[in-house]
Amino acid sequence: MHDKVGKLIRRRLRGNTMKQDDPTRAGVMISGWGNYGKTASVCSAGAVFEDQWLELHSYLNPSSLPGTRDLHAPVVYVSTPVTATPKSLCASILGFFRASTRRSATLPELVRQVADSLHDHGVKALILDDINRLRMHRADDQDVLDLMRAFMSLDVTLILTGVNISGIGLLREAKWNKKTRQWEMPPLESTRIHGLEITQTEHRFELIELDRFRYTTPKQIQAFVDHLEGIEQHLRLLNAKAGMLTGGVMPEYLMRRTGGVVGLLGRLLEDGAQEAMESGKETIDESLLDEIVLRRDEPEQAPDEPVIPADPHTAGKKTTRSKRSRNTVFDDRGPAAAHTGS
C-alpha cells in the first residue's frame, strides 16, 4: 500500500511539474481508516519528491523573492481545521510560512496572500490532511471545497488525505468495482453546490484507498512478512536474531494481535522493544508481547471480578456475587424542608 501511494504521488507530481499551459493541475486523494498509515505514506512520498526537486534545482528557487529564499518549500503540509471555513483554511496555510495576517483581512485578501506565498516559496505540492472533517451539509464546508478547487489553478498539486473519503460526500458515495478494480461514481442527481456540480471534484482527483495487511493468499502473506523483515532489520536489540519477527508462528501471532493494521503493528512492536530493553531481555517474542495491551485487546477478566478470589478453591468458577448497594448521594429527594430560624 505504501509503495502504491508513493508511485501515484510521484507520477502525479512529475507530470504536473512538467506542464506549462494547463490551467488546472490534477490532484490525488488518499483514503483509508484510522492507523492505516495514510499520513505517513503521503509525507514519505512528499519528502522523496522534495529532496529530488531541491537537488534538481541545486537547492535554489529561481523565482523566489527577497525574504523568501530561506524557506524554499516545494511541499507544504497542513491539517484541515476542525471547523473549517475558507478563512481558517487560508490562515492554516499561511501559518506554515509563519506569515503575519491582519484580523480584519477579507477573504479575497487572504486568498491573494496564500497564492503569493505558494508562488514565492516555490510550492509544488500542497498536502491537506484530515479532509474528512468536511461535511457537505454545511455551507462553510462547501465554500472550503470550492476554495480547494481554486488552489488547483495555482500551479500546485493538491493532495488530500482522510478517513473514508468516498463516503463523506466529496465523491458522491463512490463504490469500488471489483471487476474493473476502480472507484465508480453513481449517476449524478440534481445536487449542485453553489452552481458547481460535484463532478468538478471527482474529475480533478484520483482516489486511492489504503487497506490493511491481509493474510489469505501467498502474495498477501509474503507482503506482510516482507514488512516485518524491514522492521526487524531496524531493531537494535542486543539479543536480536534473524527471524525474530518473521520466523515460526510470529507472523501469524502479529497478524492476530493487530488485524494487519500497520499503525497498531508499529505500536505493538515499539512498546515491545521498550519492554525488551527495560526488562533486560533484549529480544522480542510472544511471551513478551503478551504483556503489551492494545486498545483492541479484550480484557482477560470482567472489570468487577476480583483479582484474587476470596476462596482459592473457587478460582476459575462462576460464583454468585452479592449485589452492591447503589450510591444514593445524587438522588433527587424533592424540595428541601423549610428552615425557620429562632
Side-chain angles (χ1 to χ4, degrees):
M1 289 292 103
H2 176 87
D3 294 339
K4 188 177 181 181
V5 170
K7 183 177 180 180
L8 173 61
I9 292 178
R10 289 193 299 271
R11 184 173 66 237
R12 185 65 61 244
L13 289 173
R14 189 183 302 114
N16 286 347
T17 53
M18 292 181 179
K19 292 181 180 179
Q20 299 295 330
D21 301 325
D22 193 346
T24 303
R25 300 292 188 262
V28 177
M29 286 184 176
I30 311 298
S31 179
W33 297 106
N35 282 317
Y36 275 26
K38 302 179 299 298
T39 302
S41 297
V42 171
C43 290
S44 176
V48 171
F49 167 78
E50 180 169 335
D51 289 342
Q52 294 174 344
W53 183 263
L54 291 175
E55 185 177 359
L56 178 64
H57 294 84
S58 301
Y59 296 87
L60 297 175
N61 180 14
S63 60
S64 64
L65 298 177
T68 65
R69 291 190 176 92
D70 292 337
L71 185 55
H72 180 195
V75 179
V76 171
Y77 172 88
V78 176
S79 182
T80 304
V82 176
T83 304
T85 64
K87 280 191 172 183
S88 67
L89 179 61
C90 288
S92 297
I93 297 174
L94 293 173
F96 178 89
F97 303 106
R98 302 293 193 271
S100 59
T101 58
R102 293 183 296 105
R103 298 185 60 180
S104 59
T106 63
L107 179 59
E109 290 174 340
L110 289 174
V111 172
R112 190 179 307 112
Q113 187 177 359
V114 169
D116 291 342
S117 295
L118 294 176
H119 176 269
D120 294 344
H121 294 285
V123 178
K124 295 302 177 183
L126 174 59
I127 301 173
L128 295 178
D129 202 358
D130 297 321
I131 196 65
N132 51 282
R133 290 173 176 171
L134 296 183
R135 293 293 182 267
M136 290 301 98
H137 66 278
R138 296 180 65 250
D140 286 339
D141 291 6
Q142 296 173 11
D143 292 336
V144 171
L145 181 60
D146 291 342
L147 179 60
M148 289 180 182
R149 284 197 292 255
F151 288 156
M152 302 178 76
S153 61
L154 300 177
D155 193 21
V156 172
T157 300
L158 208 57
I159 303 174
L160 310 181
T161 70
V163 176
N164 191 26
I165 290 180
S166 59
I168 63 176
L170 292 179
L171 297 175
R172 290 186 291 124
E173 302 289 344
K175 295 183 179 180
W176 179 255
N177 189 319
K178 294 182 180 180
K179 294 182 178 179
T180 62
R181 300 188 62 78
Q182 291 182 346
W183 287 97
E184 294 184 353
M185 315 298 169
L188 182 65
E189 300 176 357
S190 58
T191 304
R192 289 174 178 268
I193 298 179
H194 294 181
L196 300 175
E197 295 186 353
I198 306 180
T199 49
Q200 287 191 345
T201 301
E202 64 193 39
H203 288 167
R204 293 180 180 180
F205 288 91
E206 186 171 352
L207 174 65
I208 183 172
E209 188 81 19
L210 273 180
D211 196 6
R212 58 186 175 88
F213 282 105
R214 306 286 178 171
Y215 209 80
T216 305
T217 65
K219 185 177 180 180
Q220 293 172 344
I221 295 174
Q222 188 60 48
F224 184 62
V225 173
D226 289 344
H227 183 70
L228 294 179
E229 185 177 0
I231 298 176
E232 184 180 289
Q233 293 175 356
H234 288 82
L235 288 176
R236 295 296 181 264
L237 298 175
L238 296 179
N239 296 328
K241 58 182 179 180
M244 183 175 59
L245 302 181
T246 58
V249 297
M250 181 59 81
E252 289 84 352
Y253 172 85
L254 294 173
M255 174 61 68
R256 184 173 64 253
R257 286 291 305 275
T258 65
V261 178
V262 66
L264 294 177
L265 176 65
R267 191 189 315 165
L268 177 62
L269 294 177
E270 287 171 7
D271 292 351
Q274 294 184 43
E275 179 65 24
M277 290 184 289
E278 292 175 0
S279 64
K281 196 171 184 177
E282 291 293 341
T283 188
I284 293 178
D285 55 24
E286 293 181 35
S287 61
L288 183 139
L289 294 179
D290 283 339
E291 303 298 324
I292 307 299
V293 177
L294 294 177
R295 285 197 311 171
R296 61 187 295 121
D297 287 347
E298 297 181 357
E300 297 180 358
Q301 61 185 26
D304 57 350
E305 184 178 341
V307 178
I308 302 177
D311 184 359
H313 298 289
T314 63
K317 298 181 180 180
K318 293 184 178 180
T319 58
T320 303
R321 292 186 294 271
S322 60
K323 186 177 181 181
R324 292 185 297 179
S325 59
R326 187 172 61 86
N327 192 332
T328 61
V329 173
F330 297 102
D331 286 359
D332 184 4
R333 297 182 175 85
H339 177 73
T340 58
S342 56

